[in-house]
Amino acid sequence: MSNRPYRVPLRAGQLLVLLWLGPAGAAHAQALPGTTPRPAAPTETRHYAIEVAGLRVGTMTATRQPQPGTTEVVSTLISDVQVTFLFYHLKIYYKVTNRVRGGQLQLSTVEAHTNQGDFSSRAEWKGDHYDIRADQYKHHYQATEKHPITYTVTDMFFGEPGGHTTAFAEYFGDYFTVAHAPDGTYRAHRDGREDEYRYANGQLVTLIKKNPLKNFVIRLLP
């Protein structure tokens, strides 16, 4: 596969939106007296290539790391895209960090750095609700959510959604709807756009982020 940069007439912010269309208080769980804490499960890491029209333009890495001696899990999703336009070089970097305790999201942060500026999103559990704020390229959203968040877009990189019908979209601060299609894929919808998730043996192997200009195809690397 060619690694040369892809030339496409999109602004940095537009590219970031198309790509996505797809530590709160640390009270650690303690072992009971006289018991031996279970060893933490191993860290899971997935590496993906990001392609447009068959050409590789970047990478994506998903990591899930259980915290030793606790019920906490920290997941990250990092995307690094480099595209050469006609007159300048573009670099887009974003990182999602989710801290989950006992299966419930405690804190989600998103940092994005582009040629159009720096952007961020944050969702934090306050004991009886989430404070949610997303300040992204041409997307500003602020809300309070009282229902515990137990499934996110990042989780979709580590296994099939199964019975989940929604996934919290960390970047936007709201939700994708998720449906299991007859062809065995999962389709995630938000605001008129669709992402297609393909799994093999329970592992995400291909993610297609569809848009009218060019689809982004995210493929699992060996």
Side-chain angles (χ1 to χ4, degrees), residues 35-218:
T35 64
T36 300
R38 291 184 178 181
T43 298
E44 299 177 65
T45 303
R46 311 275 193 273
H47 297 286
Y48 295 85
I50 302 173
E51 302 171 3
V52 178
L55 301 176
R56 182 166 168 173
V57 298
T59 61
M60 183 174 285
T61 303
T63 302
R64 183 162 63 184
Q65 183 174 19
Q67 304 300 291
T70 77
T71 62
E72 291 191 357
V73 177
V74 176
S75 299
T76 61
L77 184 64
I78 298 174
S79 178
D80 192 356
V81 175
Q82 298 190 44
V83 179
T84 298
F85 285 3
L86 293 177
F87 302 107
Y88 66 94
H89 179 73
L90 167 68
K91 181 174 182 178
I92 295 175
Y93 172 93
Y94 70 75
K95 179 179 181 180
V96 181
T97 303
N98 290 343
R99 184 174 292 273
V100 174
R101 183 183 308 134
Q104 179 182 333
L105 182 69
Q106 300 296 310
L107 176 66
S108 174
T109 59
V110 181
E111 58 176 285
H113 306 285
T114 80
N115 285 27
Q116 297 296 318
D118 296 332
F119 307 96
S120 66
S121 299
R122 182 182 182 93
E124 184 173 5
W125 178 248
K126 294 295 188 177
D128 61 355
H129 71 277
Y130 291 93
D131 284 341
I132 299 173
R133 185 182 182 93
D135 291 303
Q136 299 292 346
Y137 178 77
K138 293 187 177 180
H139 175 78
H140 301 281
Y141 179 76
Q142 188 169 355
T144 297
E145 173 60 70
K146 294 184 178 180
H147 293 91
I149 297 171
T150 58
Y151 194 70
T152 69
V153 169
T154 299
D155 291 324
M156 297 182 75
F157 283 81
F158 297 99
E160 296 187 35
H164 292 283
T165 58
T166 61
F168 181 69
E170 302 97 329
Y171 178 91
F172 295 106
D174 54 17
Y175 292 85
F176 279 89
T177 60
V178 180
H180 196 187
D183 62 2
T185 65
Y186 288 85
R187 309 294 175 88
H189 295 89
R190 180 194 174 277
D191 196 25
R193 294 186 179 272
E194 179 182 86
D195 292 349
E196 180 179 318
Y197 291 76
R198 299 177 181 175
Y199 294 84
N201 299 318
Q203 182 168 255
L204 178 65
V205 293
T206 307
L207 166 58
I208 302 175
K209 291 185 170 291
K210 301 179 180 180
N211 65 77
L213 297 175
K214 291 289 184 180
N215 289 345
F216 282 81
V217 180
I218 299 171

